[in-house]
Amino acid sequence: FDGKKFSSFRKSNGLPTSDITAVLEDENKNIWIGTTEGLAKFDGISFTSFKNYGLNHQINSIYKDSKEIIWFCTLGGGIVSFDGKSFKQYTRKEGLITDSIFCLIQDYDKNYWIGTYHFGVSKITATSFTSGRLKCQTYTKSDGLSSNNIYCMQEDNQHTIWLGTTNGFLTKYENGKFSPFVISDETKTDFVADILKDSRNNIWVGTLEHGLIKITNKDYSFYTEAEGLSSHCINYLLEDKDKNIWI
């Protein structure tokens, strides 16, 4: 969308497949596109596909850290970093607990948190990536997680980390401890597909069964079709520069 009209791009235009899983714009205005069959980059004119470094796997999410390094989380290929010049892949051989990674974020202290499929969440210090082998501290349900499937994460202004799961709703990490965040019996096994921290430090939670949930410091609110949503199944959330929330 160029401000006036939409343009559609498909496999016939150079994408690995038309099934899109993640999108991110870098500092050079390149668009990185994750798909169920690998990664592509759009430079405004044409697409380039990437098949090496495990990037032929499904790309679950794309994240840009504080140093503008782009991270690709894959289903079966571990995590891959791109520093603007070259890619580097990290798998179980380098110390990951699994090669199936849903998500990655960098926290206030520059630590990396990696959400996995079946194996909980791993915490890795920034220096660990340059030491030759990753030193992962992994947490599971036995440490307080509501589920071992960590699908998305977000850190708020108080440095609390919110972890969205595929079958256990939310877990909070604060003051060095994990604890399930329970709103109701109905939502405690819900699939959380995305978490957004807005400019006012509200936490927005997109679920696949119970619509959109807004969490403030004092309360929470539910939004479904009854409040005007087109569906109760929420996959992605975004706040624009005018503070509008796109769902």
PDB file of all heavy atoms in Angstrom, residues 26-57:
ATOM      1  N   ASP A  26      13.308  -3.248   7.467  1.00  0.00           N
ATOM      2  CA  ASP A  26      14.581  -2.908   8.089  1.00  0.00           C
ATOM      3  C   ASP A  26      14.914  -1.433   7.891  1.00  0.00           C
ATOM      4  O   ASP A  26      14.141  -0.675   7.288  1.00  0.00           O
ATOM      5  CB  ASP A  26      15.705  -3.825   7.586  1.00  0.00           C
ATOM      6  CG  ASP A  26      16.040  -3.633   6.109  1.00  0.00           C
ATOM      7  OD1 ASP A  26      15.722  -2.562   5.541  1.00  0.00           O
ATOM      8  OD2 ASP A  26      16.641  -4.547   5.522  1.00  0.00           O
ATOM      9  N   GLU A  27      16.077  -1.011   8.387  1.00  0.00           N
ATOM     10  CA  GLU A  27      16.471   0.392   8.349  1.00  0.00           C
ATOM     11  C   GLU A  27      16.714   0.910   6.928  1.00  0.00           C
ATOM     12  O   GLU A  27      16.737   2.120   6.696  1.00  0.00           O
ATOM     13  CB  GLU A  27      17.722   0.602   9.195  1.00  0.00           C
ATOM     14  CG  GLU A  27      18.906  -0.238   8.759  1.00  0.00           C
ATOM     15  CD  GLU A  27      20.100  -0.067   9.666  1.00  0.00           C
ATOM     16  OE1 GLU A  27      20.112   0.883  10.470  1.00  0.00           O
ATOM     17  OE2 GLU A  27      21.035  -0.885   9.588  1.00  0.00           O
ATOM     18  N   ASN A  28      16.910  -0.021   5.986  1.00  0.00           N
ATOM     19  CA  ASN A  28      17.124   0.349   4.582  1.00  0.00           C
ATOM     20  C   ASN A  28      15.843   0.252   3.758  1.00  0.00           C
ATOM     21  O   ASN A  28      15.899   0.303   2.538  1.00  0.00           O
ATOM     22  CB  ASN A  28      18.214  -0.532   3.967  1.00  0.00           C
ATOM     23  CG  ASN A  28      19.551  -0.347   4.646  1.00  0.00           C
ATOM     24  OD1 ASN A  28      19.982   0.778   4.892  1.00  0.00           O
ATOM     25  ND2 ASN A  28      20.209  -1.450   4.972  1.00  0.00           N
ATOM     26  N   LYS A  29      14.730   0.099   4.452  1.00  0.00           N
ATOM     27  CA  LYS A  29      13.403   0.021   3.843  1.00  0.00           C
ATOM     28  C   LYS A  29      13.189  -1.250   3.014  1.00  0.00           C
ATOM     29  O   LYS A  29      12.291  -1.310   2.169  1.00  0.00           O
ATOM     30  CB  LYS A  29      13.101   1.269   2.999  1.00  0.00           C
ATOM     31  CG  LYS A  29      13.099   2.560   3.814  1.00  0.00           C
ATOM     32  CD  LYS A  29      12.597   3.737   3.024  1.00  0.00           C
ATOM     33  CE  LYS A  29      12.654   5.029   3.843  1.00  0.00           C
ATOM     34  NZ  LYS A  29      11.914   4.944   5.101  1.00  0.00           N
ATOM     35  N   ASN A  30      14.030  -2.266   3.255  1.00  0.00           N
ATOM     36  CA  ASN A  30      13.752  -3.581   2.695  1.00  0.00           C
ATOM     37  C   ASN A  30      12.652  -4.245   3.506  1.00  0.00           C
ATOM     38  O   ASN A  30      12.593  -4.077   4.724  1.00  0.00           O
ATOM     39  CB  ASN A  30      15.004  -4.471   2.731  1.00  0.00           C
ATOM     40  CG  ASN A  30      16.128  -3.936   1.876  1.00  0.00           C
ATOM     41  OD1 ASN A  30      15.940  -3.663   0.691  1.00  0.00           O
ATOM     42  ND2 ASN A  30      17.302  -3.782   2.471  1.00  0.00           N
ATOM     43  N   ILE A  31      11.814  -5.003   2.847  1.00  0.00           N
ATOM     44  CA  ILE A  31      10.753  -5.742   3.520  1.00  0.00           C
ATOM     45  C   ILE A  31      11.141  -7.216   3.569  1.00  0.00           C
ATOM     46  O   ILE A  31      11.314  -7.853   2.524  1.00  0.00           O
ATOM     47  CB  ILE A  31       9.402  -5.583   2.799  1.00  0.00           C
ATOM     48  CG1 ILE A  31       9.050  -4.097   2.625  1.00  0.00           C
ATOM     49  CG2 ILE A  31       8.302  -6.306   3.582  1.00  0.00           C
ATOM     50  CD1 ILE A  31       8.852  -3.334   3.910  1.00  0.00           C
ATOM     51  N   TRP A  32      11.304  -7.733   4.771  1.00  0.00           N
ATOM     52  CA  TRP A  32      11.604  -9.155   4.972  1.00  0.00           C
ATOM     53  C   TRP A  32      10.294  -9.895   5.193  1.00  0.00           C
ATOM     54  O   TRP A  32       9.480  -9.487   6.031  1.00  0.00           O
ATOM     55  CB  TRP A  32      12.532  -9.332   6.162  1.00  0.00           C
ATOM     56  CG  TRP A  32      13.878  -8.712   5.957  1.00  0.00           C
ATOM     57  CD1 TRP A  32      14.235  -7.427   6.236  1.00  0.00           C
ATOM     58  CD2 TRP A  32      15.047  -9.341   5.435  1.00  0.00           C
ATOM     59  NE1 TRP A  32      15.554  -7.218   5.908  1.00  0.00           N
ATOM     60  CE2 TRP A  32      16.079  -8.377   5.424  1.00  0.00           C
ATOM     61  CE3 TRP A  32      15.323 -10.631   4.972  1.00  0.00           C
ATOM     62  CZ2 TRP A  32      17.362  -8.667   4.962  1.00  0.00           C
ATOM     63  CZ3 TRP A  32      16.602 -10.917   4.524  1.00  0.00           C
ATOM     64  CH2 TRP A  32      17.610  -9.951   4.513  1.00  0.00           C
ATOM     65  N   ILE A  33      10.098 -10.973   4.457  1.00  0.00           N
ATOM     66  CA  ILE A  33       8.823 -11.677   4.462  1.00  0.00           C
ATOM     67  C   ILE A  33       9.049 -13.146   4.801  1.00  0.00           C
ATOM     68  O   ILE A  33       9.743 -13.873   4.070  1.00  0.00           O
ATOM     69  CB  ILE A  33       8.138 -11.555   3.086  1.00  0.00           C
ATOM     70  CG1 ILE A  33       7.967 -10.071   2.726  1.00  0.00           C
ATOM     71  CG2 ILE A  33       6.795 -12.278   3.086  1.00  0.00           C
ATOM     72  CD1 ILE A  33       7.691  -9.835   1.269  1.00  0.00           C
ATOM     73  N   GLY A  34       8.499 -13.563   5.914  1.00  0.00           N
ATOM     74  CA  GLY A  34       8.553 -14.967   6.293  1.00  0.00           C
ATOM     75  C   GLY A  34       7.356 -15.704   5.750  1.00  0.00           C
ATOM     76  O   GLY A  34       6.234 -15.196   5.773  1.00  0.00           O
ATOM     77  N   THR A  35       7.590 -16.905   5.264  1.00  0.00           N
ATOM     78  CA  THR A  35       6.510 -17.733   4.719  1.00  0.00           C
ATOM     79  C   THR A  35       6.609 -19.146   5.295  1.00  0.00           C
ATOM     80  O   THR A  35       7.567 -19.480   5.999  1.00  0.00           O
ATOM     81  CB  THR A  35       6.579 -17.816   3.177  1.00  0.00           C
ATOM     82  OG1 THR A  35       7.599 -18.751   2.791  1.00  0.00           O
ATOM     83  CG2 THR A  35       6.889 -16.456   2.553  1.00  0.00           C
ATOM     84  N   THR A  36       5.635 -19.969   4.959  1.00  0.00           N
ATOM     85  CA  THR A  36       5.658 -21.360   5.409  1.00  0.00           C
ATOM     86  C   THR A  36       6.716 -22.180   4.676  1.00  0.00           C
ATOM     87  O   THR A  36       6.987 -23.313   5.065  1.00  0.00           O
ATOM     88  CB  THR A  36       4.287 -22.019   5.207  1.00  0.00           C
ATOM     89  OG1 THR A  36       3.909 -21.898   3.820  1.00  0.00           O
ATOM     90  CG2 THR A  36       3.234 -21.360   6.077  1.00  0.00           C
ATOM     91  N   GLU A  37       7.316 -21.599   3.637  1.00  0.00           N
ATOM     92  CA  GLU A  37       8.340 -22.313   2.867  1.00  0.00           C
ATOM     93  C   GLU A  37       9.629 -21.516   2.739  1.00  0.00           C
ATOM     94  O   GLU A  37      10.374 -21.675   1.776  1.00  0.00           O
ATOM     95  CB  GLU A  37       7.794 -22.689   1.483  1.00  0.00           C
ATOM     96  CG  GLU A  37       6.621 -23.652   1.536  1.00  0.00           C
ATOM     97  CD  GLU A  37       6.120 -24.060   0.167  1.00  0.00           C
ATOM     98  OE1 GLU A  37       6.863 -23.890  -0.815  1.00  0.00           O
ATOM     99  OE2 GLU A  37       4.977 -24.547   0.074  1.00  0.00           O
ATOM    100  N   GLY A  38       9.894 -20.636   3.696  1.00  0.00           N
ATOM    101  CA  GLY A  38      11.161 -19.933   3.674  1.00  0.00           C
ATOM    102  C   GLY A  38      11.044 -18.419   3.721  1.00  0.00           C
ATOM    103  O   GLY A  38       9.972 -17.862   3.968  1.00  0.00           O
ATOM    104  N   LEU A  39      12.169 -17.753   3.464  1.00  0.00           N
ATOM    105  CA  LEU A  39      12.307 -16.308   3.630  1.00  0.00           C
ATOM    106  C   LEU A  39      12.511 -15.609   2.293  1.00  0.00           C
ATOM    107  O   LEU A  39      13.190 -16.122   1.404  1.00  0.00           O
ATOM    108  CB  LEU A  39      13.506 -16.013   4.534  1.00  0.00           C
ATOM    109  CG  LEU A  39      13.857 -14.542   4.787  1.00  0.00           C
ATOM    110  CD1 LEU A  39      12.796 -13.893   5.670  1.00  0.00           C
ATOM    111  CD2 LEU A  39      15.241 -14.442   5.426  1.00  0.00           C
ATOM    112  N   ALA A  40      11.942 -14.404   2.183  1.00  0.00           N
ATOM    113  CA  ALA A  40      12.172 -13.556   1.013  1.00  0.00           C
ATOM    114  C   ALA A  40      12.401 -12.123   1.464  1.00  0.00           C
ATOM    115  O   ALA A  40      11.964 -11.715   2.544  1.00  0.00           O
ATOM    116  CB  ALA A  40      10.987 -13.629   0.053  1.00  0.00           C
ATOM    117  N   LYS A  41      13.106 -11.351   0.626  1.00  0.00           N
ATOM    118  CA  LYS A  41      13.324  -9.919   0.868  1.00  0.00           C
ATOM    119  C   LYS A  41      12.834  -9.144  -0.349  1.00  0.00           C
ATOM    120  O   LYS A  41      13.134  -9.501  -1.489  1.00  0.00           O
ATOM    121  CB  LYS A  41      14.799  -9.630   1.109  1.00  0.00           C
ATOM    122  CG  LYS A  41      15.083  -8.163   1.420  1.00  0.00           C
ATOM    123  CD  LYS A  41      16.568  -7.907   1.635  1.00  0.00           C
ATOM    124  CE  LYS A  41      17.347  -7.959   0.335  1.00  0.00           C
ATOM    125  NZ  LYS A  41      18.764  -7.553   0.493  1.00  0.00           N
ATOM    126  N   PHE A  42      12.072  -8.090  -0.085  1.00  0.00           N
ATOM    127  CA  PHE A  42      11.570  -7.225  -1.158  1.00  0.00           C
ATOM    128  C   PHE A  42      12.246  -5.866  -1.034  1.00  0.00           C
ATOM    129  O   PHE A  42      12.146  -5.206   0.001  1.00  0.00           O
ATOM    130  CB  PHE A  42      10.046  -7.083  -1.049  1.00  0.00           C
ATOM    131  CG  PHE A  42       9.426  -6.261  -2.137  1.00  0.00           C
ATOM    132  CD1 PHE A  42       9.510  -6.666  -3.461  1.00  0.00           C
ATOM    133  CD2 PHE A  42       8.752  -5.090  -1.843  1.00  0.00           C
ATOM    134  CE1 PHE A  42       8.923  -5.917  -4.482  1.00  0.00           C
ATOM    135  CE2 PHE A  42       8.173  -4.327  -2.843  1.00  0.00           C
ATOM    136  CZ  PHE A  42       8.257  -4.748  -4.165  1.00  0.00           C
ATOM    137  N   ASP A  43      12.957  -5.437  -2.079  1.00  0.00           N
ATOM    138  CA  ASP A  43      13.696  -4.179  -2.046  1.00  0.00           C
ATOM    139  C   ASP A  43      12.935  -3.023  -2.672  1.00  0.00           C
ATOM    140  O   ASP A  43      13.489  -1.945  -2.888  1.00  0.00           O
ATOM    141  CB  ASP A  43      15.051  -4.332  -2.736  1.00  0.00           C
ATOM    142  CG  ASP A  43      14.930  -4.717  -4.216  1.00  0.00           C
ATOM    143  OD1 ASP A  43      13.798  -4.746  -4.746  1.00  0.00           O
ATOM    144  OD2 ASP A  43      15.974  -4.997  -4.833  1.00  0.00           O
ATOM    145  N   GLY A  44      11.653  -3.228  -2.922  1.00  0.00           N
ATOM    146  CA  GLY A  44      10.826  -2.217  -3.560  1.00  0.00           C
ATOM    147  C   GLY A  44      10.622  -2.467  -5.032  1.00  0.00           C
ATOM    148  O   GLY A  44       9.732  -1.875  -5.656  1.00  0.00           O
ATOM    149  N   ILE A  45      11.458  -3.370  -5.579  1.00  0.00           N
ATOM    150  CA  ILE A  45      11.364  -3.683  -7.007  1.00  0.00           C
ATOM    151  C   ILE A  45      11.135  -5.173  -7.232  1.00  0.00           C
ATOM    152  O   ILE A  45      10.232  -5.570  -7.958  1.00  0.00           O
ATOM    153  CB  ILE A  45      12.644  -3.229  -7.744  1.00  0.00           C
ATOM    154  CG1 ILE A  45      12.822  -1.709  -7.607  1.00  0.00           C
ATOM    155  CG2 ILE A  45      12.586  -3.627  -9.225  1.00  0.00           C
ATOM    156  CD1 ILE A  45      14.127  -1.205  -8.158  1.00  0.00           C
ATOM    157  N   SER A  46      11.982  -5.993  -6.598  1.00  0.00           N
ATOM    158  CA  SER A  46      11.893  -7.435  -6.820  1.00  0.00           C
ATOM    159  C   SER A  46      12.131  -8.198  -5.527  1.00  0.00           C
ATOM    160  O   SER A  46      12.594  -7.644  -4.525  1.00  0.00           O
ATOM    161  CB  SER A  46      12.929  -7.868  -7.873  1.00  0.00           C
ATOM    162  OG  SER A  46      14.243  -7.561  -7.425  1.00  0.00           O
ATOM    163  N   PHE A  47      11.836  -9.503  -5.572  1.00  0.00           N
ATOM    164  CA  PHE A  47      11.995 -10.388  -4.425  1.00  0.00           C
ATOM    165  C   PHE A  47      13.263 -11.223  -4.561  1.00  0.00           C
ATOM    166  O   PHE A  47      13.621 -11.645  -5.655  1.00  0.00           O
ATOM    167  CB  PHE A  47      10.796 -11.338  -4.304  1.00  0.00           C
ATOM    168  CG  PHE A  47       9.512 -10.667  -3.911  1.00  0.00           C
ATOM    169  CD1 PHE A  47       8.629 -10.192  -4.874  1.00  0.00           C
ATOM    170  CD2 PHE A  47       9.177 -10.502  -2.577  1.00  0.00           C
ATOM    171  CE1 PHE A  47       7.447  -9.567  -4.522  1.00  0.00           C
ATOM    172  CE2 PHE A  47       7.998  -9.879  -2.209  1.00  0.00           C
ATOM    173  CZ  PHE A  47       7.136  -9.414  -3.187  1.00  0.00           C
ATOM    174  N   THR A  48      13.918 -11.458  -3.432  1.00  0.00           N
ATOM    175  CA  THR A  48      15.035 -12.387  -3.346  1.00  0.00           C
ATOM    176  C   THR A  48      14.697 -13.431  -2.300  1.00  0.00           C
ATOM    177  O   THR A  48      14.326 -13.086  -1.176  1.00  0.00           O
ATOM    178  CB  THR A  48      16.342 -11.671  -2.933  1.00  0.00           C
ATOM    179  OG1 THR A  48      16.641 -10.643  -3.881  1.00  0.00           O
ATOM    180  CG2 THR A  48      17.495 -12.659  -2.874  1.00  0.00           C
ATOM    181  N   SER A  49      14.813 -14.700  -2.654  1.00  0.00           N
ATOM    182  CA  SER A  49      14.537 -15.780  -1.717  1.00  0.00           C
ATOM    183  C   SER A  49      15.828 -16.311  -1.125  1.00  0.00           C
ATOM    184  O   SER A  49      16.885 -16.285  -1.773  1.00  0.00           O
ATOM    185  CB  SER A  49      13.782 -16.916  -2.417  1.00  0.00           C
ATOM    186  OG  SER A  49      12.492 -16.498  -2.806  1.00  0.00           O
ATOM    187  N   PHE A  50      15.751 -16.792   0.112  1.00  0.00           N
ATOM    188  CA  PHE A  50      16.917 -17.309   0.816  1.00  0.00           C
ATOM    189  C   PHE A  50      16.624 -18.744   1.245  1.00  0.00           C
ATOM    190  O   PHE A  50      15.612 -19.014   1.873  1.00  0.00           O
ATOM    191  CB  PHE A  50      17.227 -16.452   2.034  1.00  0.00           C
ATOM    192  CG  PHE A  50      17.523 -15.017   1.702  1.00  0.00           C
ATOM    193  CD1 PHE A  50      16.487 -14.087   1.637  1.00  0.00           C
ATOM    194  CD2 PHE A  50      18.810 -14.591   1.446  1.00  0.00           C
ATOM    195  CE1 PHE A  50      16.737 -12.762   1.322  1.00  0.00           C
ATOM    196  CE2 PHE A  50      19.075 -13.275   1.129  1.00  0.00           C
ATOM    197  CZ  PHE A  50      18.036 -12.353   1.064  1.00  0.00           C
ATOM    198  N   LYS A  51      17.544 -19.646   0.901  1.00  0.00           N
ATOM    199  CA  LYS A  51      17.341 -21.064   1.200  1.00  0.00           C
ATOM    200  C   LYS A  51      18.417 -21.645   2.106  1.00  0.00           C
ATOM    201  O   LYS A  51      18.257 -22.724   2.656  1.00  0.00           O
ATOM    202  CB  LYS A  51      17.291 -21.869  -0.106  1.00  0.00           C
ATOM    203  CG  LYS A  51      16.107 -21.522  -1.010  1.00  0.00           C
ATOM    204  CD  LYS A  51      14.785 -21.875  -0.355  1.00  0.00           C
ATOM    205  CE  LYS A  51      13.609 -21.616  -1.285  1.00  0.00           C
ATOM    206  NZ  LYS A  51      12.307 -21.939  -0.629  1.00  0.00           N
ATOM    207  N   ASN A  52      19.548 -20.944   2.258  1.00  0.00           N
ATOM    208  CA  ASN A  52      20.628 -21.449   3.104  1.00  0.00           C
ATOM    209  C   ASN A  52      20.410 -21.065   4.560  1.00  0.00           C
ATOM    210  O   ASN A  52      19.477 -20.342   4.898  1.00  0.00           O
ATOM    211  CB  ASN A  52      21.980 -20.912   2.615  1.00  0.00           C
ATOM    212  CG  ASN A  52      22.318 -21.394   1.216  1.00  0.00           C
ATOM    213  OD1 ASN A  52      21.975 -22.511   0.841  1.00  0.00           O
ATOM    214  ND2 ASN A  52      22.987 -20.553   0.444  1.00  0.00           N
ATOM    215  N   TYR A  53      21.273 -21.535   5.435  1.00  0.00           N
ATOM    216  CA  TYR A  53      21.256 -21.209   6.864  1.00  0.00           C
ATOM    217  C   TYR A  53      19.934 -21.578   7.543  1.00  0.00           C
ATOM    218  O   TYR A  53      19.533 -20.947   8.521  1.00  0.00           O
ATOM    219  CB  TYR A  53      21.521 -19.717   7.079  1.00  0.00           C
ATOM    220  CG  TYR A  53      22.798 -19.228   6.439  1.00  0.00           C
ATOM    221  CD1 TYR A  53      22.777 -18.560   5.229  1.00  0.00           C
ATOM    222  CD2 TYR A  53      24.033 -19.454   7.057  1.00  0.00           C
ATOM    223  CE1 TYR A  53      23.954 -18.119   4.634  1.00  0.00           C
ATOM    224  CE2 TYR A  53      25.221 -19.015   6.472  1.00  0.00           C
ATOM    225  CZ  TYR A  53      25.166 -18.344   5.261  1.00  0.00           C
ATOM    226  OH  TYR A  53      26.329 -17.916   4.672  1.00  0.00           O
ATOM    227  N   GLY A  54      19.266 -22.594   7.035  1.00  0.00           N
ATOM    228  CA  GLY A  54      18.004 -23.010   7.635  1.00  0.00           C
ATOM    229  C   GLY A  54      16.819 -22.151   7.258  1.00  0.00           C
ATOM    230  O   GLY A  54      15.716 -22.331   7.774  1.00  0.00           O
ATOM    231  N   LEU A  55      17.026 -21.202   6.354  1.00  0.00           N
ATOM    232  CA  LEU A  55      15.955 -20.273   5.980  1.00  0.00           C
ATOM    233  C   LEU A  55      14.989 -20.857   4.955  1.00  0.00           C
ATOM    234  O   LEU A  55      14.102 -20.162   4.487  1.00  0.00           O
ATOM    235  CB  LEU A  55      16.564 -18.963   5.455  1.00  0.00           C
ATOM    236  CG  LEU A  55      17.349 -18.171   6.500  1.00  0.00           C
ATOM    237  CD1 LEU A  55      18.082 -17.006   5.858  1.00  0.00           C
ATOM    238  CD2 LEU A  55      16.414 -17.669   7.609  1.00  0.00           C
ATOM    239  N   ASN A  56      15.173 -22.129   4.610  1.00  0.00           N
ATOM    240  CA  ASN A  56      14.201 -22.827   3.768  1.00  0.00           C
ATOM    241  C   ASN A  56      13.068 -23.407   4.609  1.00  0.00           C
ATOM    242  O   ASN A  56      12.068 -23.884   4.064  1.00  0.00           O
ATOM    243  CB  ASN A  56      14.880 -23.940   2.981  1.00  0.00           C
ATOM    244  CG  ASN A  56      15.563 -24.955   3.886  1.00  0.00           C
ATOM    245  OD1 ASN A  56      16.174 -24.592   4.889  1.00  0.00           O
ATOM    246  ND2 ASN A  56      15.478 -26.228   3.539  1.00  0.00           N
ATOM    247  N   HIS A  57      13.202 -23.343   5.944  1.00  0.00           N
ATOM    248  CA  HIS A  57      12.141 -23.806   6.829  1.00  0.00           C
ATOM    249  C   HIS A  57      11.053 -22.735   6.962  1.00  0.00           C
ATOM    250  O   HIS A  57      11.227 -21.595   6.530  1.00  0.00           O
ATOM    251  CB  HIS A  57      12.702 -24.115   8.218  1.00  0.00           C
ATOM    252  CG  HIS A  57      13.591 -25.313   8.266  1.00  0.00           C
ATOM    253  ND1 HIS A  57      14.919 -25.281   7.899  1.00  0.00           N
ATOM    254  CD2 HIS A  57      13.346 -26.593   8.650  1.00  0.00           C
ATOM    255  CE1 HIS A  57      15.451 -26.483   8.051  1.00  0.00           C
ATOM    256  NE2 HIS A  57      14.524 -27.297   8.515  1.00  0.00           N
TER     257      HIS A  57
END
